Each structure stands twice: as structure tokens, then as C-alpha cells.
Amino acid sequence: MKILETSGLKKFFYRLQALKGVDLHVEEGELVGLIGPNGSGKTTLFDCITGILKPSGGKVYFKDKDITNFKPDGSYKMGIGRTFQLAQLFPEMTVMENMLLAIQESQGSMLNRLFRIREDDNRNKALSLLEFLKIGHVRDEFAKNLSYGQQKLLDLGMVLMADPELILLDEPLAGVNRSLAVEIVERIRELRKNCGCTFIIIEHDMKVVMDLCERIVVLDYGEKIAEGTPEQIQNNEKVLSAYFGG
Amino acid sequence: MNTVKASKVTPLRASIGWLCLLGIFVLPAFSVSSQYILYLASLTCIYTLTAAGLNLILGYAGQISLAQAAFMGIGAYTVALLSTKLSFWVALPLGGGIAFVLGLVLGFPSLKVKHHYLAMITLGFNIIVYLILMNEQEITGGSYGVFNIPRPKAGPIDFTSNESYHILIALVTCFIMLLTYWTLNSQWGRAFKGIRENELRAEMLGVSLRNYKLLAFAIGSAFAGIAGGLLAPLLGYIDPTIFNLGFSFQFLLMVIVGGSGRFEGPFIGAIIITIFPEIFRVAERLYFVIFALAAMLILIFMPKGAVTLWDWLFQTITGREAPKLTK
Amino acid sequence: MILQLFIKGLSLGAVYALIAIGFSLLWQTSRTINFAQGEFVTLPAFLMVLLALVFKIPFALALILTIIISGLLLGYLMNRVLDRPLIEKGVLPLVVATIALGFMIRDSLIISWTPEALYFPSLVPKKPLHLGDATFSAVDLWNIFVATLIISGLHLFVKRTKTGKALQAVSQNRDVANILGINASKMILLAFLINAVIAGFSSILIAPIYMVKYDMGVELGLKAFYAAIIGGFNQTRGALLGGLLVGLIETFTAAYISTHYKGAFVLIVLMVVIVFKPEGLLGEKELYEYR
């Protein structure tokens, strides 16, 4: 079953065309890699899917529902979670508070949220997720005091809080040291095995992408130039020229 | 890392704290011989209330509002004009209610613009309210204002004397502060803070910016409305000049100087702004110059506000870190 | 009638524009929203009264002294003492600090001098001029003339000189300016000086119309603020257009609709602009329109 589909997705910044009609489809449970040279529109595509940016044209469907004009809070409640290239946290809140904020809006009504004081279930869930990501020991630290790698992990942890069906990871390994990168990849694999959610990953580390993903989509200058298994992509001429020839 | 132990806020301690606070608020009614100082104490309560509203908007939800004086004016005129016709007990919540609804409306631009633009819109709202109060003479009495605003009675209890009316103000203030405390420690408080810290990410985690920003504006404005409703009978007369822009600026000063985003902040700010002139009484009018100077110094040297002093004091005396009152 | 109002509005607007230009210059270079901008006009006016009328210093000399003193006090000192320590702490602390500064200047003037309005002589005769059936004062023409002179001077400075170009670079993009080796903090200081000097000149233009009073700057500062936002915060042209618009709207609504609510119409225009075109009439949109 198709979980995400974009058809002819366009985004202009004035005359600059960041996306020139991208068609993307992702099956449930897939792990798709999204690659392309810098400035090829990968992050813009994420922004348009999640509603951070309003697409200039085209449609976004999530589980056959049109979510093109959804705002970020709407798409999150639909079940799309996303991490950021630079970890986006709430610096003056503790790690635990960061995690709790990630789930509260998916539960109950506004009024419930005013009167729900005990949130033991959420706390336990956050704890086990933090343990899973191996940052349980810093749960009472302010997010701003975390190391870069820990911030990345927290960013991921927050997304996992509300059990999203589709997770968009924007360069989860960028700027992370080797051993932590291995760790993160390991976590992503485990997650796939356990929760059966769908991933789209933007990543520059080709080795990881080729290793991890079943299907790869290549963007260049806002257009999809190739799509296929890692082997197909490795031997695709267009891709090679986009990266090396261009 | 910090080795100082943090004090935990247990329910028992919180209750004791609240009783102490209620005591501090009510005490002047029994202990102060000077009517003037009692009046200042009443004023401090009213300022605390208004500043607490602004703190919710500014310190927690991260939006700026320069219209607190206007909302006070709305509350004050509602009580002044309706307490003789209806009853104070109807007019006070009504004033708060009107301020709530107008605050909701004023909150809408905050969904589109930020910083100085929002400052400008709220500032403009303040000026327009002022102009209406000034020029719609048939209703508001124009620049003459409204005289002889009665203090309320509740059956056998009479709030006419300065002491009893102070107790009423203190009770209302404490009650509303308690509600604020609850709100800030609920998931709403967390969402407000999230918006302040990182609006984009908060929205990406399902926080509806529209709902929460509007709520912050509406609640914060309603506080000012109620504070204004309490102010009118305290003074006995009101005129538009009380609710001018400068008054709104004062509340902004109060919150920032006290410590924005901290529950105790507005209270400390309000005390500073009312007690200060007394300390520098010899200086007469110079006090405001000194206050402004002190505000600038606090901004430069204590960017988190005078609440830093309280933290330091608490830590020196008890050897523990001051408790965090809100999430 | 219309021509008469037009000239009156233009003359007011020219002064607003002057104040607004300094205001938006401060915002562009240092992200300072100067809520004490009005007091930056009040103080030189009082200085002029002190020097020219009380100490009886010749007018031209008094003018020069006033400009120098206000440049030092409101430009240099403000930059060093208030702006430098607070600039890294975000927009809000500076807003509050300038509000406090405004309060301080106003109350200091009341205490040290007078809460009354002081008379200030006009540089040009106040005798009415006639053009067709329109009657207007020479002061209006003089104001328009001087404002035009100062604004074109500033424009030439920014466009033609090396320092001016550096100033522009800093106000447009601090990072790029840094890469080009421009000393941003020096340019910010320059912006403060320019602002103080322009405000000084505008105070001499407005004082004969408004009278010199401790709170004369409150309205002026606000109007400069409106002008900067209506025209566009990131453009000097914007401040000019905004200032003229505010002056014209004010004069015409006061004449044709209601004097009581003349302040409200400008505000309504302002709010409409903010909600529908937040970047201002001539402002430039930011590249990424996050919604």
C-alpha cells in the first residue's frame, strides 16, 4: 500500500525553482534514500511534505489523503515525523520535557491537556526511548547542554515519541563521529524491525545509503533524475554526471 | 556541572508556599497603619496580576504585547460603568471576559508577524482604545472620566474600607496566580514554552500555534481586564490618561526587570516598581529616572531579571538551589 | 484647500521621514528598535533653547554645538553604554532598555527644567504665503526644503562614498560584510551618530511647530515608527515614503474626517500594512517565506 505520494510537487522562491514537479511514491514499510548534490531540493521536498513550506504547485497524499495544505502540526498528527539537519530542540527545557512535548499534542483535546497532570505512561515511554537511544542518563539536563551527537539522538527520540508511521530523517549522520554514526544506523535498523514504520532518509554518506536503503531516489536541480535499487543507481549515468560531471 | 542541590516542589511545600504568599498579600490589611502604604500594597497586587498576564504572553509564549494598559482600561471602565447598574460581581468577570475576547482578536496578527510588528500592532491597539475612551464622551465621560465608583458589597460583608477592599484584591490576585500556576505546570505551559523556545519545531511536533498563541494572548489580556476591574473601585475614579501607552510600557519593564519566563518574575517586578519610589522618596520625582536607570543596569548585568537576586538569596540562605516553580 | 493641506502634510511628513530614516538605519545595522527615538528629538530641542535662548549664544554656533552634543550623547554614548552590552541578547532587552531610556530623558527634563512648553523661534518668518486660494506658511516650505537636502545628502553619502557603501553592506547582510572585512561595530557606531545628528536637525525643524516640551517626542517617535513600518523597514526609500504618507494621511483625515481620531487612521493603515504586507510598501521580502 502506498503511504506517501507526491505528484508534480513544485516550489518556487521567486524565480528560483527549488522543486520542478517531483513525483515520489513510497510504499508502506519501505526505507527510501533521498540523495542529490547540495541545493538539489531534498530538504525543500521534506519542507513541502511536512507543511513547513507551502508548495507552489502539485499535491501531497498521505495514505491516500490530500495533505498538501496541511500545516506542520496537522501533518504530525496524521503520523509524519521528521528530524532536522541541525537538531531542532527546545534548548531551555530538559531532555525529558523535550520528549514529553513531542507526544502531548497527539493525545486528547486542548482541555484534556490543561487537566492532565499525571503523565506516567508518557514518561515511561520517553525513558525507554531515551534508554534505547543511550541518552537516558542525561534526561534531566537542559537540551542546550547536550553534546552535538546527543542532540541529534534526542531529535530522533522526539520524533519517535508519537509513533509516527512515516519518518523523514534529514541527514541523521551529518557532523556525527564515526562510532555514533554506526550507532545511529544500528538504531534505525532496529526500529524498522520492531515498529514497521516507513523511512525516507536524506544522507550524503553514500556508503551508508547504499548499505541501508532498498530504494534510492536522486534529485538534481529540483528534478527527480533517477530512481531504483542501490545497484541501479550506482551504475546510472545521469547520477554520475550530476555528482561528478555537472 | 552544578553541585548545588535543587529544592523539589512537593505538594506540601507548594501549599505552604502558597499560604505564605497569601499571607504576604493579605498581611498589609492588618499590620499597616499608613493608608498610603496599604494603597501601595493594593496597587502591587493589581500590578502583579497585570504583569503576570504579560509574563504569560511574553515570558512563556514568547509573543510581545504592549496593550496591557488598554485591557486594564477595558476592565476598569466595565466595572466603573456597570457596577452601579448591575453589580460589581457581574461587572468584574464581564470586564475580564471582554478583555479575553478582545485579546483573542488581538492575538490573530501574532500568527502572521513577529517582534516589532507585533509590538506595533498591540501598541496601536492601546492608542486606539485610549482615543475611544477619550472621545466617546456620552459613554465614557471623555477626559473627565468616571467618578464615584463604589466598592462592592457581598451580602453582609462590606468591602468599602481600604483594609477590607485590600483583602478582596489580595484574594482575587492569589486565586488567579494559583490558576496561572496550574496552567503553567499543565501541558499548556509546556506548549507555551515550546513555542517560545523553537516555534518551528513545536509546530513540527503537533503544537497548534494558532490555538496556543491565541490562548496566551486571551488569558494574558483577561488578567489585565480583571486587574483593571479591581483598580477602578480602588481609585474611586478613572480617566483615560491612566491607561495610556506609558502604562503599558511600565508593565513590559516590570516583567523584564522582574524576570520574564519565571513565575516569580512579575511579582518581583511589581514590588520593585511600587516600592522603589518609597525608598527614594527623598528624591521625589527623580525616582522614575532612578528606576529607568536601574532597569537598564539590571538588563545589562542581570539579563534574566531581578529574580536572579532571589535565586542567589535563596541559595545563600538555604544552601539549595531555588525551586523551579514551573516546568 | 487640497493644495494647502497637501503642503502642510508634506512638511509634517518630511520631518517624520527624517526621524524615520535614522530609526530604520538603527534597525538595519544593529537590530535596535529605538523606542527612545522621540526623545532623541526632544533633547536637542531643549539644548537649542538652552544655548540660543538662555545663554544667548549666536544661533548658528548654538546649532553646531547642539548637533555635536547630541551626537556624542545620543549617538556615541548610547552606542557604547546601552547598545554594545545588549546587542547580543536579542531584540527584546534593547526594546525595554530604550523604553527605559525614553522615560529617563523625559523625566529628567521635567525635573531639571520644566514640564511647561517652551517657545522656540522659527528660522524663517512665519508669515503666510498665498498660492491661488491656498494659504500656507513659509515654515512648511522650509521644512520640506531642509529635509530634502538632508535626505539627498545621506543618499549621496551612502551611494557614493566608500564608508557609505560599507554602512549599506552592514545593514543588508552582516555576514557578507564581515567576509568583506568591514568592521561592523564601527559601522553601527556610525549609524548611531548619523541617527543622532539627523534627529538633531529634525528637532530644529519641528520645534517651531510643536513647541518645545518634555513629551513632544512621544508622538514624533511613534510616527517615525509607523513611517518606517509602512514604508518598509529595510529601505531608506521606504522610510521616506512612509514618513510622507503618515504626514499626508494625518493632515487629510484631520481636515475631512475627525480631528479627534486623526491618530487612529494612521494606525489603521499601519495595521493593514502589517497584516497584508509586513515587509512594508517598498520593503524587500525575505527569501524564504516560512508560513
Side-chain angles (χ1 to χ4, degrees):
Chain A
M1 194 193 129
K2 245 180 237 158
I3 189 161
L4 180 82
E5 184 181 2
T6 70
S7 66
L9 203 61
K10 292 192 184 89
K11 180 68 198 173
F12 306 141
F13 298 115
Y14 294 89
R15 258 164 286 163
L16 178 75
Q17 295 191 11
L19 294 177
K20 302 172 188 165
V22 175
D23 298 315
L24 181 77
H25 72 92
V26 178
E27 297 290 323
E28 203 172 324
E30 253 190 319
L31 204 163
V32 176
L34 187 59
I35 62 171
N38 280 325
S40 57
K42 301 177 303 273
T43 299
T44 309
L45 182 60
F46 273 15
D47 284 348
C48 286
I49 293 172
T50 51
I52 289 174
L53 291 173
K54 189 180 169 148
S56 313
K59 292 277 177 205
V60 182
Y61 299 97
F62 181 68
K63 294 199 284 187
D64 293 329
K65 194 171 179 318
D66 184 354
I67 60 160
T68 315
N69 288 317
F70 273 40
K71 291 198 165 189
D73 56 324
S75 70
Y76 186 73
K77 282 173 193 158
M78 286 289 294
I80 303 178
R82 165 195 181 165
T83 66
F84 293 79
Q85 226 165 327
L86 283 171
Q88 296 283 327
L89 308 171
F90 306 105
E92 296 271 350
M93 289 160 73
T94 64
V95 169
M96 189 46 116
E97 291 287 318
N98 270 273
M99 293 291 278
L100 291 175
L101 181 52
I103 190 169
Q104 68 174 46
E105 299 298 318
S106 315
Q107 303 168 328
S109 66
M110 281 297 276
L111 218 56
N112 286 145
R113 268 164 239 146
L114 180 59
F115 294 110
R116 192 191 304 126
I117 289 300
R118 298 194 69 81
E119 27 189 12
D120 292 347
D121 289 352
N122 290 353
R123 246 169 233 283
N124 290 336
K125 184 170 185 188
L127 259 182
S128 63
L129 267 175
L130 290 175
E131 292 299 340
F132 169 72
L133 295 168
K134 310 211 162 140
I135 48 173
H137 57 289
V138 291
R139 61 178 176 270
D140 292 324
E141 285 291 336
F142 281 124
K144 62 176 178 187
N145 294 339
L146 264 51
S147 73
Y148 185 83
Q150 288 172 329
Q151 292 195 358
K152 280 242 152 182
L153 287 169
L154 177 56
D155 196 1
L156 180 61
M158 283 156 78
V159 167
L160 298 176
M161 271 307 275
D163 295 322
E165 290 168 65
L166 173 65
I167 301 178
L168 311 178
L169 301 174
D170 195 345
E171 300 198 24
L173 307 182
V176 167
N177 67 40
R178 200 85 228 132
S179 61
L180 191 61
V182 172
E183 191 79 22
I184 292 177
V185 170
E186 207 46 52
R187 298 293 142 217
I188 294 172
R189 280 204 185 150
E190 253 176 81
L191 273 173
R192 273 209 72 212
K193 225 169 25 201
N194 302 339
C195 76
C197 37
T198 315
F199 285 90
I200 306 179
I201 300 180
I202 296 178
E203 186 49 57
H204 278 301
D205 189 333
M206 281 308 144
K207 210 169 151 285
V208 173
V209 176
M210 297 296 164
D211 204 30
L212 193 65
C213 304
E214 293 135 13
R215 193 157 64 85
I216 294 172
V217 174
V218 190
L219 285 186
D220 191 27
Y221 289 108
E223 274 174 302
K224 188 168 82 176
I225 56 166
E227 185 175 3
T229 60
E231 293 77 38
Q232 288 169 329
I233 294 300
Q234 268 168 329
N235 302 320
N236 188 310
E237 272 178 36
K238 268 190 188 166
V239 178
L240 292 176
S241 78
Y243 269 93
F244 305 109
Chain B
M1 280 295 128
N2 212 333
T3 49
V4 187
K5 265 175 103 177
S7 311
K8 242 189 134 85
V9 187
T10 60
L12 179 69
R13 281 183 188 167
S15 321
I16 294 172
W18 278 101
L19 281 176
C20 288
L21 193 67
L22 185 67
I24 294 172
F25 274 132
V26 174
L27 198 66
F30 300 106
S31 61
V32 172
S33 51
S34 154
Q35 292 295 308
Y36 180 63
I37 293 182
L38 184 61
Y39 163 76
L40 284 182
S42 304
L43 220 51
T44 309
C45 289
I46 289 171
Y47 285 177
T48 304
L49 205 50
T50 315
L54 183 58
N55 192 27
L56 201 66
I57 301 173
L58 180 84
Y60 286 91
Q63 311 299 306
I64 190 167
S65 170
L66 289 175
Q68 286 302 81
F71 288 115
M72 271 185 103
I74 287 163
Y77 271 85
T78 311
V79 166
L81 299 172
L82 293 183
S83 64
T84 44
K85 294 193 187 76
L86 289 164
S87 147
F88 174 82
W89 307 108
V90 180
L92 185 70
L94 187 67
I98 295 175
F100 185 89
V101 173
L102 285 174
L104 208 60
V105 175
L106 190 64
F108 269 100
S110 75
L111 305 177
K112 275 200 84 164
V113 296
K114 276 202 187 83
H115 299 316
H116 49 289
Y117 297 115
L118 198 54
M120 244 12 241
I121 286 189
T122 52
L123 179 153
F125 176 80
N126 203 118
I127 293 176
I128 287 176
V129 169
Y130 175 81
L131 285 173
I132 290 173
L133 292 180
M134 205 65 162
N135 292 316
E136 297 306 313
Q137 295 193 1
E138 296 84 43
I139 307 167
T140 64
S143 56
Y144 296 108
V146 185
F147 286 88
N148 299 326
I149 303 162
R151 289 186 182 166
K153 282 182 187 148
I157 314 167
D158 190 348
F159 291 107
T160 320
S161 75
N162 288 344
E163 284 80 6
S164 55
Y165 191 61
H166 176 79
I167 293 177
L168 176 68
I169 293 178
L171 286 175
V172 173
T173 306
C174 249
F175 176 67
I176 292 184
M177 294 292 277
L178 200 60
L179 288 185
T180 319
Y181 183 71
W182 176 276
T183 310
L184 290 177
N185 277 309
S186 77
Q187 295 187 335
W188 283 16
R190 191 185 286 140
F192 285 146
K193 244 182 128 174
I195 292 173
R196 180 191 70 188
E197 296 284 305
N198 190 338
E199 197 174 301
L200 179 72
R201 184 61 197 256
E203 202 182 9
M204 236 356 283
L205 291 175
V207 175
S208 162
L209 296 186
R210 193 194 55 192
N211 290 357
Y212 281 108
K213 280 185 179 178
L214 292 184
L215 256 176
F217 261 93
I219 298 174
S221 307
F223 282 11
I226 290 170
L230 291 170
L231 181 71
L234 175 72
L235 299 174
Y237 81 95
I238 48 170
D239 68 65
T241 54
I242 302 173
F243 308 107
N244 67 9
L245 198 55
F247 205 33
S248 281
F249 284 163
Q250 277 193 35
F251 288 111
L252 185 64
L253 278 177
M254 253 182 254
V255 172
I256 300 281
V257 166
S260 74
R262 285 286 299 267
F263 184 73
E264 315 90 314
F267 180 55
I268 294 173
I271 287 185
I272 293 177
I273 216 166
T274 39
I275 303 298
F276 226 77
E278 292 317 300
I279 302 172
F280 292 96
R281 209 166 184 177
V282 270
E284 288 187 12
R285 255 210 82 99
L286 200 59
Y287 81 82
F288 213 88
V289 178
I290 299 175
F291 177 76
L293 204 63
M296 287 190 264
L297 290 177
I298 287 178
L299 279 171
I300 294 172
F301 296 108
M302 279 189 273
K304 289 198 169 150
V307 76
T308 321
L309 274 182
W310 156 251
D311 290 345
W312 174 80
L313 212 64
F314 192 97
Q315 198 172 321
T316 327
I317 294 172
T318 63
R320 283 160 179 274
E321 206 178 300
K324 288 190 186 63
L325 295 184
T326 53
K327 282 180 176 169
Chain C
M1 182 69 179
I2 288 183
L3 180 66
Q4 184 175 329
L5 288 174
F6 189 73
I7 291 179
K8 180 98 198 113
L10 224 49
S11 128
L12 270 179
V15 180
Y16 296 158
L18 269 186
I19 308 172
I21 284 174
F23 189 83
S24 79
L25 196 62
L26 287 196
W27 166 256
Q28 287 168 28
T29 49
S30 69
R31 302 277 131 176
T32 306
I33 306 174
N34 186 15
F35 270 97
Q37 184 76 355
E39 280 63 43
F40 278 35
V41 179
T42 314
L43 204 61
F46 269 85
L47 273 174
M48 273 306 280
V49 174
L50 182 72
L51 295 173
L53 301 184
V54 180
F55 293 156
K56 307 247 186 275
I57 297 173
F59 199 86
L61 187 62
L63 178 63
I64 294 168
L65 277 176
T66 300
I67 298 295
I68 292 174
I69 295 173
S70 66
L72 279 179
L73 223 57
L74 302 173
Y76 186 77
L77 212 64
M78 157 112 178
N79 176 257
R80 285 298 151 105
V81 178
L82 217 53
D83 209 61
R84 288 248 168 119
L86 289 175
I87 202 164
E88 296 303 324
K89 288 171 187 149
V91 175
L92 200 62
L94 260 173
V95 167
V96 179
T98 56
I99 288 176
L101 181 69
F103 271 122
M104 204 175 86
I105 295 178
R106 281 205 296 280
D107 277 42
S108 314
L109 285 174
I110 298 179
I111 297 159
S112 63
W113 200 332
T114 171
E116 307 292 321
L118 301 170
Y119 169 75
F120 190 86
S122 172
L123 286 180
V124 287
K126 267 192 175 165
K127 88 170 194 263
L129 300 172
H130 300 279
L131 189 81
D133 59 348
T135 314
F136 51 88
S137 141
V139 176
D140 291 335
L141 289 185
W142 167 250
N143 282 358
I144 297 172
F145 172 70
V146 175
T148 315
L149 215 62
I150 295 174
I151 292 170
S152 1
L154 184 68
H155 187 76
L156 281 181
F157 169 73
V158 169
K159 293 282 169 199
R160 294 288 161 81
T161 64
K162 210 178 157 203
T163 324
K165 281 178 185 159
L167 184 70
Q168 203 181 17
V170 171
S171 60
Q172 275 164 2
N173 193 330
R174 184 98 51 91
D175 297 332
V176 172
N178 266 334
I179 294 167
L180 293 175
I182 296 166
N183 186 341
S185 72
K186 242 186 199 152
M187 287 302 133
I188 291 173
L189 176 63
L190 181 67
F192 270 84
L193 288 175
I194 292 177
N195 175 47
V197 168
I198 294 183
F201 277 114
S202 54
S203 88
I204 289 150
L205 296 183
I206 200 79
I209 306 175
Y210 264 46
M211 303 280 280
V212 177
K213 202 179 168 201
Y214 73 97
D215 63 353
M216 69 185 271
V218 177
E219 286 253 308
L220 282 172
L222 283 180
K223 283 184 189 138
F225 205 155
Y226 304 161
I229 288 186
I230 291 177
F233 237 120
N234 42 14
Q235 290 285 320
T236 307
R237 284 179 294 140
L240 179 59
L241 176 77
L244 295 179
L245 271 180
V246 170
L248 289 174
I249 294 171
E250 207 179 62
T251 323
F252 276 92
T253 49
Y256 287 113
I257 308 179
S258 156
T259 41
H260 291 309
Y261 284 108
K262 72 170 180 183
F265 291 105
V266 180
L267 277 172
I268 291 166
V269 173
L270 175 83
M271 289 184 186
V272 170
V273 168
I274 289 179
V275 172
F276 292 102
K277 206 168 181 309
E279 70 276 11
L281 296 178
L282 292 182
E284 277 160 7
K285 238 179 184 175
E286 280 166 32
L287 187 58
Y288 289 90
E289 16 143 5
Y290 280 105
R291 63 177 177 187

